[in-house]
């Protein structure tokens, strides 16, 4: 159990180091993260799938790391409000953003965001399969055929 706890801490520290958070040169000090509560901002309202995933993982991290991971819902503007709140927070590793595919879409959809490359990924939490569907009248029998139809411009 202790090995797992140190592994999780080491992963968090490595991820934060990759983000440019200065945790000091001493490895023993780095494993002391977190030393205070961590804000985890979710860009969706409570009780949705993203919020539930964040709350489950936040509780898991709190139990293992000994500090509360406080989930804060900041819905609106296709999660841009939450993203901007994290970008404006001090870059100390104590404000995290729960990102979904919406954030990737926003980066290409909106021309004028107050952020672009101001955040960096820390860890993958959930994998969500996406499914492509077509009208049953489309004569597609397998995935490659459907992709080729899309590339050729056929309906």
């Amino acid at each position: 159990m202790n090995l797992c706890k140190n592994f999780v801490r080491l992963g968090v520290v490595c991820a934060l180091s990759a983000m440019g958070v200065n945790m000091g040169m001493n490895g023993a000090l780095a494993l002391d993260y977190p030393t205070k509560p961590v804000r985890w901002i979710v860009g969706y309202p409570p009780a949705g799938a993203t919020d539930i995933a964040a709350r489950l993982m936040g509780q898991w991290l709190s139990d293992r790391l000994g500090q509360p991971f406080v989930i804060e819902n900041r819905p609106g503007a296709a999660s841009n409000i939450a993203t901007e709140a994290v970008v404006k927070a001090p870059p100390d590793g104590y404000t995290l953003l729960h990102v979904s595919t919406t954030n990737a879409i926003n980066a290409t959809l909106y021309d004028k965001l107050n952020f672009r490359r101001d955040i960096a990924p820390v860890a993958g939490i959930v994998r969500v399969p996406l499914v492509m569907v077509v009208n049953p009248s489309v004569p597609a029998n397998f995935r490659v055929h459907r992709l080729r139809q899309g590339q050729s411009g056929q309906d």
Side-chain angles (χ1 to χ4, degrees), residues 51-112:
D51 175 65
I52 292 170
R55 289 181 189 282
L56 290 171
M57 185 55 102
Q59 184 61 51
W60 186 85
L61 288 169
S62 294
D63 293 345
R64 280 151 186 81
L65 299 178
Q67 287 291 338
F69 278 68
V70 180
I71 308 304
E72 181 181 326
N73 298 89
R74 302 284 300 267
S79 77
N80 287 333
I81 293 172
T83 305
E84 191 166 345
V86 172
V87 167
K88 289 182 177 180
D92 59 3
Y94 287 91
T95 304
L96 305 176
L97 175 65
H98 192 106
V99 177
S100 68
T101 54
T102 304
N103 296 83
I105 294 167
N106 289 348
T108 61
L109 186 61
Y110 297 104
D111 291 330
K112 296 181 181 179

Side-chain angles (χ1 to χ4, degrees), residues 6 8 20 35 39 53 80 82 86 89 97 106 112 127 138:
N6 285 337
V8 170
T35 59
R39 286 175 57 209
N80 287 333
V86 172
L97 175 65
N106 289 348
K112 296 181 181 179
R127 291 185 184 189
V138 174

